Amino acid sequence: MFGNLFEEDYSSVSNSQYGKGKKLKTKGLEPPAPREFTNLSGIRNQGGTCYLNSLLQTLHFTPEFREALFSLGPEELGSLEDKDKPDAKVRIIPLQLQRLFAQLLLLDQEAASTIDLTDSFGWTSDEEMRQHDVQELNRILFSALETSLVGTSGHDLINRLYHGTIVNQIICKECKNISEKQEDFLDLTVAVKNVSGLEDALWNMYVEEEVFDCDNLYHCGTCDRLVKAAKSAKLRGCYGGHYHVYIKDVDHLGNWQCQEEINDMDVHLKDLQNEEEADDPLMILKTILLQEETNQIPVDQLGQKLLKKTGISWNKKYRKQHGPLRKFLQLHPQMFLLSADESTVSLLKSHLTQAPSDLQRNREQILHTLASEPPGLSDNTSCPHWFDINDSQVQPIRENAIAQQFQGKESAYMLFYRKAKLRRPSEARANPRYRVPCHLLKEMDEANIQLQMRRAECDSANNNFELHLHLGPHYRFFNGALHPEISQTESVWDLTFDKRKTLGDLRQSIFQLLEFWEGDMVLSVAKRVPAGLHVYHTLDGDELTLCEAEIADGEDIFVWNGIEVGGVQIQTGSDCEPLLLHIVHLGMSGEGSKCEQLVESPHVFPANAEVGTVFTALAIPVGVILTNSVESTDEECWTAISKEDMKKTFREQGLRNGSLILVQDADSDDNSLLPRQGRWTSSVDELNWLQVKNLCQLESDEEQVQIAATVHTVVFDIRIKAIKELKLMKELAESSCLRPIDRNGKLLCPVPDAWTLEEAEVKMGSSLGLCLGKAPTSSQLFLFFALASDIHPGAEMEVIVEETLSVRDCLKIMLEKSGQRGEQWHLRKMDWCYEAGEPLCEEDATLKELMICSGDTLLLTEGKLPPPGFLKVPIWWYQPARLSGHWESRDHSNCASPQGSSWGSAPTQGAPGPEPADVTLLYLGDVEISEEATLVELKSKAMALTSVSELAVRSTALLRVWTVENKRPSRLLRIDWRQLKEYRLGRRTELCLELLQKEEDLGPRDVLLRTQLRIPGERAYTLAMDLVWDTTRGWTAGSLRQRVADFYSLPVEKIEIAKYFPEKFEWLPISSWNQQVAKRKKKKNQDTLQGGPYYLKDGDTIGIKNLLFDDDDDFSTIRDDIGKENQKQLALEKKKSREALRAQNSNVFSSAEMRTRPRGPEASLSIHVASFR
């Protein structure tokens, strides 16, 4: 129970074989643990320093010693900051001892470190890893302190507190003369064998008289002869303290709980079966944990103890209501603390823990002093306050338990005593700050604040997940998967979130983050697959924590409406996961007939699609399909799929991402890859060649030759053979290279001569071009580049550059080679869909640092990139249509306003205004502005544009700012003082300005709507009027109807309202009694217009019908009829175009080719002290 004085704490210690003279310091990845319930700090063991820790704790708990040391200020001891100065006299040992005592008193950590102190001793790992005698250490330490304190007011500290004198007396029996001899001591050595206690040992050693008689007479100086005498000794001036290791806390600095109180808390749970508390699992588990000495227990054992105490298991009594035991503990972090691997659980010290966000919000309330801690779990003044301190561990212990420890053969090794008559001042009781120097108080307070902040950060790091939010409105579905419609940076937002919070909390946080979001929000788990992004399952159950929902760190979360993306309905689940397959088949010649050249193209299919859909993708009516595993190194393991298996799915057939499929036409001739019998006979023999074409622009008898090769053939050998068989000049051996040719005839990146075909990933049977020029070296890059305004096959140019070249220099080379002039250009990297990707913003970075590889395509894009932290925003003028029901055609593509054009007057608030169905946007110019700038500063910059000056805008307060999406105003930007970065505009955002007649001040709950009153008897509406709707009381249909009725001074029961969807030319009536039923959850949704099917937002058009004059159910106009008819015609034309394209082109991925890329002995103890004499 009490441990051993010399038993070491090896929890953070390695073996001593790691070398001599070098410190073994554990890297502190996490902040030290806070103090346990005793509120006392232990001392960490450095390997063999338990004897040092015990002595230091004893001295620390001797208040006379501690306070005498604290009384010495920096003016006498110097400062640790000056210890390295050559002429400074810094008394390092007492300073470090002061600092250690201050940490033991005030620093909120489970155990203090003595590394700085032992460094001041001049110790190396030899002393720290070796056990020594504590009495020897005590004498050496006292000697070192005396030497260090020479010349200070504490020069006699040790002598004053611990000095004692032994007076040896001899009394002559004849003349009664007393002869005395004094001996100084700091400690006494006594023999304890065969004695009942310390008093007997002292009596035997020093007090008991020794009689000189018979043959052992004493020579008396006074009598001048041998006489009988008695010799004895007396102890003078002895001070002391506590049992060593077992410390008496005379100042009641620690929390001590008497055993009787623990017994009172040890509730007999079986007796409480019928009481109300027994039904509360929190109370039961708390009581079980309180009975544990270490306040920690494995979760599995907790369940066993519950069964033992109550006679009933957790699963039988509580699981149905509260779930599994481990999840129950996770759901109550305010009381239970689970380890990182959730294998053990302990009871929190305060039973109530602030959330991580609260810790940061209330930094000013961080603990500044441990004196504010409760003085103890028991205020009983008669409590003896003994503690068992074993290195880092501090436990309360009863006095009689210490006595029982030494009633047998075992004896204490070293004892410290303190006079019983010494009394402590009342202000010292339970006050660890008592007489601590001010500079140490300040240091400890600051250290406590840092510790709390580190623990909050550590708690955040341990419990926070990094989630990647993929925003559905920024994605589109093509090529069988989801792909960002804009840049990856703007489509994916990273969110750090506490895994202990619920899905409902996550949903609410995302709602707050995405201010532009409209309608229902569905969160689904997605994963990146080679084909793109795929959605797997929807996250249901808002009451579940992220752990219970099995969300992992770094999870991809797709945020959408749960139905469609960009108008395309999305299939979800692992069953329909998109598979990227490589299909090898005979290519088409320019005349549309089959050629002998093998081509390989990537295709994407759902995993649950039938294998036979391959023929549909290739526009082949029927044929033979053979499969070969991509992982296989055996080139002969082709397997033909039978007709019966054609109806199996790709997954059932065992195909996966990267699988290779060979497709053979049923009507192929004898020279094809398969004979007519349909059985595979010798595929490798027929694919053991490469075709090399002469592309050197030199005359030759042959245009192309076949070169026999294997996957291990070196490219250099193939090139030399091709030069010979093509009968070209030998000089080409030094100035030519081989380049793969893709299925479209495009030359790919040159292949290094030293590579084998396998290393270069060149397929057998493919075509290579023999071209002029050398292949790039290992430090060079072969890049394609093209003008972003002219992206089409064959438009790419080529260049070889060093990989250490900067983006700026690379841009200059490409501009010069393409014949472009000017400095208003930047580079973008083309993605695999042949679309412009992210810009290369870091112009001083090298191509290698930006991970540009050989074969990549860069696009020369006109327009100078703004500096980091700046936005370049196109500004448009929002000029609404003037009349409703009478439509005029306007050319929206006209970006610039012609000189002298007339601008329409702006709509007034409360007056007829714009109708979204007919939007006119006029281009004003670009504004370059910092993301740190505010919205009003953006307005000011826009007003400075030349085009805006013609409009005579008087004030920024008269401008309303919208984002532009799909050539329409989309999101209203409000609050002038808000910074632009808070709107998360992105690099491709466009804005439009709307002129107001008077200033407006829209609140965060106000919604701006365009309202139009229907003209009775006509399929037309009056001019639009702006209506501000306060949604503080909710987004309900009843609230909106009441606001509209008040605005138009109509009875609420005599109006009907509907929202207009201009992209569909449809009106959707809004009724206050509408209740939408979700098919998935089969329960009523909250009656909110923010969600489906209305998705109400700023700028939406609301049609109002006065039932007093117009009781027709129809809200549509003539223009809506025309628009719907045009949409039908457009859809029909698209369908015909797709069918024609499918008939002409056998490869649906002709515009999205995917290119592959290359892969000791006993020693004396000493403390070194400088001389201060």
Side-chain angles (χ1 to χ4, degrees):
M1 174 178 178
F2 307 111
N4 189 308
L5 176 60
F6 300 103
E7 182 180 352
E8 307 306 330
D9 176 11
Y10 291 103
S11 59
S12 60
V13 179
S14 303
N15 295 331
S16 59
Q17 62 188 13
Y18 287 97
K20 299 180 179 180
K22 186 177 180 181
K23 289 285 181 185
L24 297 177
K25 296 185 179 180
T26 306
K27 185 178 179 181
L29 298 179
E30 294 188 356
R35 301 189 180 207
E36 297 292 344
F37 73 98
T38 60
N39 199 29
L40 296 179
S41 173
I43 300 178
R44 284 191 291 275
N45 196 319
Q46 294 191 53
T49 57
C50 68
Y51 66 100
L52 172 65
N53 297 349
S54 301
L55 178 60
L56 292 174
Q57 289 281 22
T58 303
L59 297 176
H60 163 243
F61 276 98
T62 304
E64 290 76 17
F65 179 84
R66 181 182 70 233
E67 291 166 7
L69 190 64
F70 280 152
S71 67
L72 303 174
E75 64 279 357
E76 292 188 275
L77 301 181
S79 174
L80 289 173
E81 288 78 8
D82 301 330
K83 65 180 180 179
D84 296 325
K85 295 181 179 179
D87 298 329
K89 288 190 175 182
V90 181
R91 305 169 194 267
I92 301 177
I93 293 177
L95 283 172
Q96 292 290 7
L97 203 54
Q98 279 186 344
R99 192 164 178 267
L100 176 64
F101 284 175
Q103 292 174 352
L104 292 172
L105 285 170
L106 300 170
L107 198 57
D108 184 20
Q109 59 181 358
E110 183 183 32
S113 171
T114 56
I115 290 178
D116 290 337
L117 180 63
T118 54
D119 283 348
S120 71
F121 290 170
W123 287 5
T124 64
S125 58
D126 289 336
E127 286 84 1
E128 294 164 0
M129 299 297 292
R130 185 179 291 114
Q131 183 65 257
H132 287 285
D133 181 75
V134 68
Q135 182 190 15
E136 179 188 8
L137 171 67
N138 182 62
R139 291 178 176 177
I140 294 173
L141 178 59
F142 280 2
S143 175
L145 281 173
E146 284 186 315
T147 305
S148 297
L149 297 177
V150 168
T152 69
S153 59
H155 66 279
D156 61 344
L157 185 150
I158 301 299
N159 188 65
R160 179 161 36 91
L161 294 179
Y162 292 98
H163 176 264
T165 303
I166 300 177
V167 181
N168 294 305
Q169 294 182 339
I170 299 179
I171 303 175
C172 177
K173 295 291 186 178
E174 299 292 336
C175 64
K176 306 302 180 183
N177 179 59
I178 299 176
S179 175
E180 290 185 350
K181 181 181 179 181
Q182 296 186 6
E183 296 180 12
D184 296 333
F185 71 89
L186 295 180
D187 58 65
L188 297 173
T189 301
V190 296
V192 297
K193 187 175 182 180
N194 299 324
V195 295
S196 60
L198 182 63
E199 291 183 358
D200 291 343
L202 290 172
W203 179 269
N204 293 339
M205 289 288 292
Y206 300 103
V207 181
E208 185 178 11
E209 288 188 349
E210 178 185 356
V211 178
F212 298 99
D213 60 0
C214 300
D215 296 335
N216 187 24
L217 296 174
Y218 169 71
H219 184 272
C220 177
T222 303
C223 300
D224 196 22
R225 59 187 176 88
L226 295 174
V227 296
K228 292 181 180 182
K231 180 181 179 182
S232 64
K234 293 181 179 180
L235 304 180
R236 295 178 182 170
C238 300
Y239 288 81
H242 311 4
Y243 284 90
H244 192 57
V245 176
Y246 304 114
I247 303 292
K248 186 173 183 180
D249 178 16
V250 295
D251 281 340
H252 287 221
L253 299 175
N255 294 334
W256 198 96
Q257 191 171 14
C258 296
Q259 188 66 34
E260 290 77 13
E261 297 176 34
I262 297 177
N263 291 336
D264 291 340
M265 295 180 63
D266 187 7
V267 182
H268 298 286
L269 295 178
K270 289 185 178 181
D271 297 336
L272 296 177
Q273 287 285 321
N274 298 323
E275 298 183 11
E276 183 179 353
E277 292 83 355
D279 292 329
D280 184 4
L282 279 175
M283 181 265 185
I284 296 175
L285 296 177
K286 175 183 175 181
T287 306
I288 293 175
L289 286 170
L290 283 173
Q291 298 174 25
E292 295 298 313
E293 291 184 7
T294 60
N295 190 28
Q296 190 175 29
I297 187 175
V299 176
D300 297 337
Q301 291 186 20
L302 181 61
Q304 296 172 7
K305 286 182 178 288
L306 175 70
L307 175 62
K308 183 178 178 181
K309 292 285 186 181
T310 64
I312 186 169
S313 68
W314 174 274
N315 289 342
K316 191 170 183 179
K317 185 172 179 63
Y318 300 108
R319 183 184 177 96
K320 186 175 182 180
Q321 180 180 357
H322 300 285
L325 175 59
R326 184 173 276 103
K327 289 187 178 180
F328 179 81
L329 298 173
Q330 293 171 351
L331 290 174
H332 294 84
Q334 75 278 7
M335 180 173 290
F336 304 111
L337 179 63
L338 284 165
S339 59
D341 58 359
E342 298 185 349
S343 61
T344 62
V345 62
S346 59
L347 201 61
L348 286 181
K349 175 181 175 182
S350 60
H351 306 295
L352 185 61
T353 303
Q354 285 181 305
S357 59
D358 294 333
L359 284 174
Q360 295 178 358
R361 193 180 304 119
N362 299 318
R363 283 182 179 176
E364 66 275 8
Q365 298 178 9
I366 288 176
L367 181 65
H368 286 277
T369 169
L370 294 180
S372 62
E373 293 282 340
L377 298 180
S378 173
D379 291 332
N380 185 3
T381 56
S382 63
C383 186
H385 270 247
W386 283 92
F387 289 94
D388 175 8
I389 303 180
N390 188 357
D391 288 334
S392 299
Q393 298 179 355
V394 181
Q395 297 290 335
I397 186 172
R398 290 178 57 82
E399 191 170 350
N400 58 4
I402 301 175
Q404 291 175 4
Q405 173 75 8
F406 302 115
Q407 284 181 352
K409 295 182 179 180
E410 187 175 355
S411 170
Y413 180 69
M414 189 172 183
L415 304 175
F416 276 74
Y417 279 86
R418 181 172 173 273
K419 280 187 175 181
K421 67 180 182 181
L422 292 177
R423 291 289 181 264
R424 298 290 294 149
S426 59
E427 56 268 24
R429 183 178 176 84
N431 181 11
R433 301 174 74 88
Y434 182 67
R435 292 199 174 179
V436 178
C438 294
H439 69 281
L440 288 176
L441 287 175
K442 181 180 178 181
E443 180 183 347
M444 295 303 111
D445 289 345
E446 293 174 352
N448 274 324
I449 293 175
Q450 291 297 323
L451 274 176
Q452 293 290 350
M453 294 173 61
R454 287 177 58 197
R455 286 176 187 139
E457 293 170 359
C458 182
D459 178 79
S460 174
N462 291 337
N463 293 292
N464 280 2
F465 276 168
E466 194 75 25
L467 301 178
H468 307 299
L469 305 181
H470 300 260
L471 310 183
H474 295 172
Y475 273 77
R476 58 175 172 158
F477 185 86
F478 66 95
N479 290 348
L482 292 164
H483 300 272
E485 192 171 20
I486 51 180
S487 68
Q488 186 78 10
T489 305
E490 298 173 32
S491 302
V492 183
W493 291 7
D494 292 333
L495 174 65
T496 302
F497 200 76
D498 193 335
K499 65 181 180 182
R500 297 167 295 186
K501 293 187 177 181
T502 64
L503 288 176
D505 297 331
L506 175 62
R507 195 185 312 276
Q508 184 64 28
S509 296
I510 297 176
F511 257 124
Q512 295 173 358
L513 188 65
L514 307 180
E515 293 182 349
F516 61 84
W517 191 269
E518 303 162 8
D520 291 340
M521 176 183 289
V522 175
L523 305 181
S524 301
V525 174
K527 291 183 181 178
R528 300 175 189 270
V529 294
L533 188 73
H534 181 64
V535 179
Y536 284 85
H537 64 273
T538 299
L539 296 172
D540 292 323
D542 282 356
E543 72 283 354
L544 297 177
T545 65
L546 267 61
C547 292
E548 292 172 336
E550 298 182 351
I551 296 178
D553 190 15
E555 195 84 76
D556 291 292
I557 304 295
F558 193 65
V559 186
W560 60 317
N561 59 15
I563 301 174
E564 51 83 24
V565 174
V568 180
Q569 190 168 354
I570 304 299
Q571 292 185 337
T572 63
S574 57
D575 292 341
C576 57
E577 177 182 314
L579 299 179
L580 181 64
L581 306 178
H582 297 277
I583 299 180
V584 179
H585 58 98
L586 291 176
M588 300 287 292
S589 65
E591 292 76 19
S593 60
K594 292 283 191 304
C595 65
E596 296 183 358
Q597 178 181 344
L598 279 174
V599 295
E600 178 183 328
S601 58
H603 288 258
V604 177
F605 301 93
N608 57 358
E610 294 182 0
V611 176
T613 55
V614 171
F615 297 127
T616 306
L618 297 178
I620 298 175
V622 68
V624 179
I625 298 179
L626 299 101
T627 61
N628 182 17
S629 173
V630 71
E631 290 87 357
S632 175
T633 56
D634 185 1
E635 296 291 341
E636 297 188 12
C637 64
W638 292 93
T639 304
I641 299 177
S642 64
K643 290 185 178 180
E644 294 77 13
D645 290 341
M646 289 290 185
K647 295 184 178 180
K648 288 185 177 181
T649 66
F650 289 98
R651 178 156 288 162
E652 290 172 344
Q653 198 61 40
L655 296 173
R656 65 190 70 178
N657 282 302
S659 292
L660 196 62
I661 293 179
L662 183 64
V663 179
Q664 170 68 41
D665 290 355
D667 55 353
S668 299
D669 54 27
D670 293 333
N671 295 327
S672 62
L673 295 175
L674 283 176
R676 289 186 182 276
Q677 291 80 0
R679 292 184 306 166
W680 188 259
T681 55
S682 56
S683 61
V684 176
D685 292 338
E686 297 175 19
L687 288 175
N688 61 352
W689 49 264
L690 291 173
Q691 187 170 270
V692 180
K693 295 184 178 181
N694 176 20
L695 301 178
C696 294
Q697 299 178 350
L698 299 174
E699 293 185 1
S700 171
D701 296 339
E702 300 287 342
E703 290 187 0
Q704 61 184 29
V705 293
Q706 282 190 356
I707 304 295
T710 68
V711 292
H712 303 295
T713 304
V714 179
V715 173
F716 175 78
D717 296 337
I718 297 174
R719 186 166 64 86
I720 297 302
K721 287 181 183 179
I723 292 173
K724 290 180 179 179
E725 295 193 21
L726 289 170
K727 299 177 182 180
L728 298 173
M729 297 181 297
K730 295 182 180 180
E731 289 78 3
L732 285 176
E734 300 296 328
S735 59
S736 63
C737 62
L738 289 178
R739 298 176 61 178
I741 304 174
D742 70 1
R743 55 188 166 84
N744 293 321
K746 177 184 176 180
L747 287 171
L748 304 181
C749 179
V751 182
D753 279 345
W755 286 9
T756 64
L757 295 180
E758 184 177 28
E759 293 171 338
E761 299 183 5
V762 175
K763 301 291 184 182
M764 303 303 297
S766 60
S767 297
L768 299 174
L770 181 66
C771 305
L772 292 174
K774 292 184 178 181
T777 65
S778 58
S779 63
Q780 292 178 325
L781 299 176
F782 183 93
L783 301 176
F784 297 99
F785 68 97
L787 294 175
S789 58
D790 186 28
I791 304 178
H792 65 271
E796 297 96 337
M797 293 167 275
E798 303 165 356
V799 67
I800 295 178
V801 296
E802 295 292 331
E803 63 181 3
T804 55
L805 193 70
S806 68
V807 173
R808 181 181 286 104
D809 294 337
C810 181
L811 174 62
K812 291 179 181 177
I813 293 174
M814 292 180 175
L815 287 174
E816 182 179 352
K817 193 162 185 178
S818 62
Q820 301 297 324
R821 297 180 179 179
E823 297 182 354
Q824 302 298 313
W825 294 85
H826 67 275
L827 289 176
R828 290 178 180 265
K829 186 177 179 181
M830 180 184 288
D831 60 21
W832 73 280
C833 296
Y834 274 72
E835 295 180 350
E838 286 287 295
L840 305 184
C841 300
E842 302 177 39
E843 293 186 335
D844 294 326
T846 65
L847 300 175
K848 182 178 181 181
E849 291 172 344
L850 297 182
M851 294 184 288
I852 304 297
C853 303
S854 285
D856 284 347
T857 301
L858 301 182
L859 298 178
L860 288 167
T861 308
E862 197 166 7
K864 188 72 173 176
L865 282 175
F870 280 76
L871 296 171
K872 188 174 183 180
V873 186
I875 304 295
W876 299 76
W877 184 257
Y878 176 23
Q879 188 176 17
R882 305 312 307 156
L883 292 175
S884 174
H886 302 79
W887 311 103
E888 58 184 27
S889 174
R890 294 175 185 262
D891 184 10
H892 178 79
S893 62
N894 184 18
C895 293
S897 175
Q899 196 74 1
S901 62
S902 63
W903 296 80
S905 61
T908 62
Q909 292 161 299
E915 180 171 338
D918 190 22
V919 176
T920 299
L921 295 178
L922 298 175
Y923 179 68
L924 300 178
D926 292 342
V927 168
E928 187 172 306
I929 191 168
S930 170
E931 292 180 327
E932 303 289 336
T934 60
L935 182 60
V936 70
E937 291 173 332
L938 171 68
K939 293 179 181 180
S940 300
K941 281 218 169 191
M943 288 177 62
L945 294 173
T946 305
S947 303
V948 180
S949 61
E950 302 176 13
L951 303 173
V953 180
R954 298 189 303 273
S955 170
T956 58
L958 297 176
L959 287 178
R960 187 184 284 162
V961 183
W962 302 80
T963 61
V964 177
E965 292 183 16
N966 298 324
K967 301 181 180 180
R968 291 180 177 275
S970 175
R971 178 163 58 112
L972 177 62
L973 305 185
R974 59 186 82 197
I975 309 178
D976 281 349
W977 48 263
R978 197 173 185 185
Q979 289 183 321
L980 297 181
K981 66 180 181 181
E982 298 181 45
Y983 294 107
R984 296 181 177 269
L985 297 178
R987 290 187 173 273
R988 299 189 182 183
T989 299
E990 300 182 12
L991 301 177
C992 66
L993 305 177
E994 179 185 358
L995 186 61
L996 304 175
Q997 191 68 20
K998 63 180 181 179
E999 298 182 10
E1000 69 177 5
D1001 184 17
L1002 296 178
R1005 297 281 187 176
D1006 292 338
V1007 179
L1008 178 69
L1009 300 174
R1010 314 287 194 188
T1011 60
Q1012 293 179 286
L1013 193 62
R1014 188 173 177 86
I1015 302 174
E1018 298 183 26
R1019 297 184 67 194
Y1021 289 86
T1022 62
L1023 298 177
M1025 302 179 70
D1026 290 351
L1027 178 146
V1028 178
W1029 174 35
D1030 183 2
T1031 61
T1032 303
R1033 297 184 178 180
W1035 287 69
T1036 62
S1039 173
L1040 177 59
R1041 286 168 55 84
Q1042 186 63 55
R1043 177 70 182 100
V1044 171
D1046 294 342
F1047 185 77
Y1048 282 93
S1049 301
L1050 294 172
V1052 68
E1053 67 275 4
K1054 295 300 181 181
I1055 64 169
E1056 285 294 337
I1057 59 176
K1059 179 191 170 180
Y1060 185 59
F1061 291 87
E1063 66 280 358
K1064 298 178 181 179
F1065 299 96
E1066 292 179 352
W1067 295 83
L1068 182 60
I1070 300 175
S1071 300
S1072 58
W1073 52 84
N1074 275 0
Q1075 289 180 327
Q1076 301 297 324
V1077 180
K1079 295 180 180 179
R1080 178 170 52 85
K1081 294 187 177 180
K1082 300 296 182 183
K1083 65 180 182 181
K1084 293 180 180 179
N1085 284 338
Q1086 185 182 1
D1087 184 15
T1088 171
L1089 299 181
Q1090 271 188 306
Y1094 302 104
Y1095 305 111
L1096 205 62
K1097 65 182 187 303
D1098 288 314
D1100 280 348
T1101 296
I1102 301 296
I1104 302 106
K1105 190 182 297 185
N1106 187 348
L1107 299 181
L1108 295 173
F1109 303 101
D1110 189 356
D1111 57 357
D1112 187 8
D1113 294 335
D1114 185 23
F1115 276 87
S1116 65
T1117 64
I1118 298 174
R1119 180 186 181 279
D1120 296 332
D1121 296 339
I1122 299 173
K1124 287 182 179 180
E1125 185 63 29
N1126 290 339
Q1127 283 186 336
K1128 288 181 182 179
Q1129 293 297 328
L1130 184 62
L1132 186 61
E1133 292 175 2
K1134 285 184 178 180
K1135 183 178 180 181
K1136 292 180 179 179
S1137 176
R1138 284 195 300 266
E1139 291 175 353
L1141 183 63
R1142 189 178 296 113
Q1144 295 175 1
N1145 190 358
S1146 63
N1147 190 353
V1148 296
F1149 286 91
S1150 61
S1151 64
E1153 172 68 18
M1154 292 182 65
R1155 299 186 298 278
T1156 57
R1157 294 182 180 178
R1159 320 218 169 242
E1162 181 69 24
S1164 61
L1165 182 65
S1166 63
I1167 295 178
H1168 306 284
V1169 186
S1171 175
F1172 297 100
R1173 298 184 182 277

